[in-house]
Amino acid sequence: MASFKAIFFFFRILIRRLRSPRFLYRKASNGHASQLKFQKYPSLPHRSELSNQTLIFDVEGALLKSSSLFPYFMLVAFEAGGLLRALLLSLLYPLLFLVSEEMGLKIMVLVCFFGIKEDGFRAGRAVLPKFFLEGVGLEGFEVLMMCGRKVGVSDLPRIMVDGFLRDYMEVDFVVGRELKVVSGYYVGLMEDKKKDTFVLEEIFGEKKMGFDVLGISSFNKVLDHHLFSHCKEIYLVSEAEKRNWHHLPKEKYPKSLIFHDGRLAIRPTPLATLAMFIWVPFGFCLAITRALAFLSLPQKISTPILAYSGMRIKITKPKYSTISTTNGEKPKGLLYVCNHRTLLDPLYISIALGKPLSAVTYSLSRLSELFAPIRTVRLTRDREQDGKMMEKLLSEGDLVVCPEGTTCREPYLLRFSPLFAEISHDIVPVAMDAHVSMFYGTTASGLKCLDPLFFLMNPFPSYSVQLLEKVSGSATCHDDGGSRFNVANHVQSKLGEALGFQCTRLTRKDKYLILAGNEGVVTVGNTNQPKF
């Protein structure tokens, strides 16, 4: 009985010490530790003059609502490594519960990064920021924005969080784990955490460390990073408090998220990832069936079959004639001008009109051209040559053009190329919107020939097609260079108003520079045209 009481007393003391913030901090061996004070997190937002403070915060413990790192590694495995690497990581998920947190982190890093080319890794800036932003807690974000200089400390590899923190959270310095590289390829191993003063010199320069440095971390995390030892006070947030945090609304993002890449439209939590892998074989067969039905059957028969398979389309159109005559000239087809959501935009316009038409494209894979059920013509980016080609196509029938030149997933419209305003007096704006639940049907750095397949693999993909009232083209475009831009801007604003999208000055070149580090597959022309 006495031995039982002794054991019970020992565990009681141990549990108390484990719950004590000061015990957690003992691993940070530094002379400043004696000056340290631990505070409860709710008292921090009420402090005054935070704008003069330097904040060192734990990214996973004090900014993100969930401390689970699996979804972010799954994104890296799927987007940078492929389906098989993602499947391997998913199968190893139960093992992560049997090992320590540090070992689990090393396993995920090894699976996700082994053999990945260093120069070709773009997921950190093109894919992950969207999902990090969706995981940010509003309360943690508000405190972060109140402080002056911000230093983010993360257990994740730095290349995973650097783009998100610097570009979207306005963080001045990012301290994360560095990955080992051999011959330009990641080997799946992390460098040891820095224990020297080089990080401090980089962050603070010659500024003497004083009492204007605060820290934020989590109760459940060991403060083993030496940067926290230089904080006068550390505020600890509990998991219960984080669960009550609200998600950061998009309108409060410091920088608007307009472009992002990757195939996954879901947040790949363990359960969502399991559901995705179960669905993939069925989704692939369903996509092939949908494609064959559309390509081989008449539209009156294929449309009900596609609707029965889960595809949805909402069509809104005014009453107007499909063929117009101008100044007694030979009747010409109508020019349909739409915003660009996926490669299937012209097909859905054809379904909405109930007749075939032609479409001009800037960059379309040869495979997509081969299987396209409507006529597609490549543009050359030569303004005069493309104008003549489009006029010829209009003389033969209706024509669809997407003047954005590339797709945009978010509710934004990119700058419209004004070429379409010069070739027709009658322009029909078409507002397009697409919704997916599992896979995106667009990509900036992947294989474009697979875009339709991924879109059709979604359980319930949907499209909205709004045909708006005619807009008069500029009759003086060839004489007055500015009028064609006015027409393009007017059409863009009409589409933005119909969709509730925001118009921007960004172009195809901007998108590919951000997501892929290049100007796109096709050389961008007309770069000297003025922006509106």
Side-chain angles (χ1 to χ4, degrees), residues 293-354:
F294 191 86
L295 294 174
S296 60
L297 298 176
Q299 184 175 320
K300 291 184 179 180
I301 300 177
S302 63
T303 300
I305 294 177
L306 294 175
Y308 183 76
S309 72
M311 299 188 70
R312 301 289 184 264
I313 179 173
K314 180 182 178 181
I315 303 172
T316 306
K317 56 182 178 180
K319 296 180 180 179
Y320 51 75
S321 173
T322 57
I323 299 293
S324 63
T325 303
T326 306
N327 298 328
E329 299 176 357
K330 180 182 177 180
K332 298 174 60 177
L334 277 180
L335 178 63
Y336 295 92
V337 178
C338 66
N339 60 303
H340 205 1
R341 305 305 281 178
T342 75
L343 291 176
L344 302 179
D345 292 340
L347 300 183
Y348 275 94
I349 295 178
S350 178
I351 294 175
L353 296 174

Side-chain angles (χ1 to χ4, degrees), residues 119-410:
D119 294 340
F121 184 79
R122 303 289 303 178
R125 293 189 179 274
V127 178
L128 291 176
K130 173 184 182 295
F131 294 91
F132 277 126
L133 284 168
E134 292 176 350
V136 171
L138 175 60
E139 288 75 5
F141 168 79
E142 289 177 341
V143 171
L144 183 66
M145 291 296 104
M146 293 170 61
C147 297
R149 182 176 296 183
K150 310 173 190 66
V151 181
V153 178
S154 176
D155 289 332
L156 292 168
R158 184 184 55 81
I159 58 172
M160 290 179 62
V161 297
D162 190 80
F164 156 65
L165 293 175
R166 291 183 185 272
D167 297 342
Y168 293 94
M169 291 287 105
E170 300 178 351
V171 174
D172 301 287
F173 300 95
V174 178
V175 181
R177 306 289 289 273
E178 298 295 336
L179 297 179
K180 295 183 179 180
V181 180
V182 176
S183 299
Y185 289 85
Y186 295 116
V187 296
L189 301 176
M190 294 185 293
E191 302 282 358
D192 294 334
K193 293 183 179 180
K194 294 182 178 180
K195 298 296 183 180
D196 48 38
T197 60
F198 290 112
V199 176
L200 291 175
E201 293 177 357
E202 179 184 357
I203 294 175
F204 297 100
E206 298 179 355
K207 180 179 178 181
K208 184 179 179 181
M209 298 295 298
F211 295 107
D212 57 345
V213 181
L214 303 178
I216 307 179
S217 187
S218 172
F219 272 107
N220 296 336
K221 294 202 66 174
V222 177
L223 300 180
D224 59 347
H225 202 289
H226 67 100
L227 283 179
F228 286 103
S229 64
H230 294 273
C231 298
K232 175 188 176 183
E233 299 174 340
I234 291 184
Y235 292 80
L236 299 178
V237 56
S238 67
E239 290 297 322
E241 290 172 331
K242 290 175 62 177
R243 283 194 294 269
N244 293 328
W245 283 1
H246 298 84
H247 287 283
L248 179 65
K250 288 187 176 182
E251 57 270 16
K252 289 195 174 183
Y253 288 179
K255 176 184 176 182
S256 298
L257 179 70
I258 300 177
F259 299 124
H260 60 86
D261 203 13
R263 293 293 190 185
L264 289 181
I266 58 173
R267 185 177 185 85
T269 61
L271 288 178
T273 302
L274 177 62
M276 178 193 70
F277 280 113
I278 293 175
W279 171 256
V280 164
F282 298 99
F284 179 79
C285 296
L286 181 60
I288 298 300
T289 303
R290 287 167 171 173
L292 291 176
F294 191 86
L295 294 174
S296 60
L297 298 176
Q299 184 175 320
K300 291 184 179 180
I301 300 177
S302 63
T303 300
I305 294 177
L306 294 175
Y308 183 76
S309 72
M311 299 188 70
R312 301 289 184 264
I313 179 173
K314 180 182 178 181
I315 303 172
T316 306
K317 56 182 178 180
K319 296 180 180 179
Y320 51 75
S321 173
T322 57
I323 299 293
S324 63
T325 303
T326 306
N327 298 328
E329 299 176 357
K330 180 182 177 180
K332 298 174 60 177
L334 277 180
L335 178 63
Y336 295 92
V337 178
C338 66
N339 60 303
H340 205 1
R341 305 305 281 178
T342 75
L343 291 176
L344 302 179
D345 292 340
L347 300 183
Y348 275 94
I349 295 178
S350 178
I351 294 175
L353 296 174
K355 63 178 182 178
L357 39 73
S358 301
V360 292
T361 64
Y362 286 98
S363 178
L364 190 66
S365 68
R366 296 298 181 184
L367 185 63
S368 298
E369 287 182 330
L370 179 64
F371 289 101
I374 64 174
R375 183 182 180 186
T376 61
V377 180
R378 280 178 179 261
L379 294 176
T380 63
R381 298 278 179 179
D382 182 280
R383 184 166 169 268
E384 183 177 353
Q385 184 176 345
D386 289 339
K388 292 179 180 179
M389 180 192 304
M390 293 170 67
E391 288 180 350
K392 182 177 182 297
L393 292 173
L394 268 178
S395 66
E396 300 172 356
D398 293 346
L399 179 65
V400 177
V401 60
C402 304
E404 285 182 292
T406 188
T407 57
C408 184
R409 295 173 179 175
E410 296 300 313

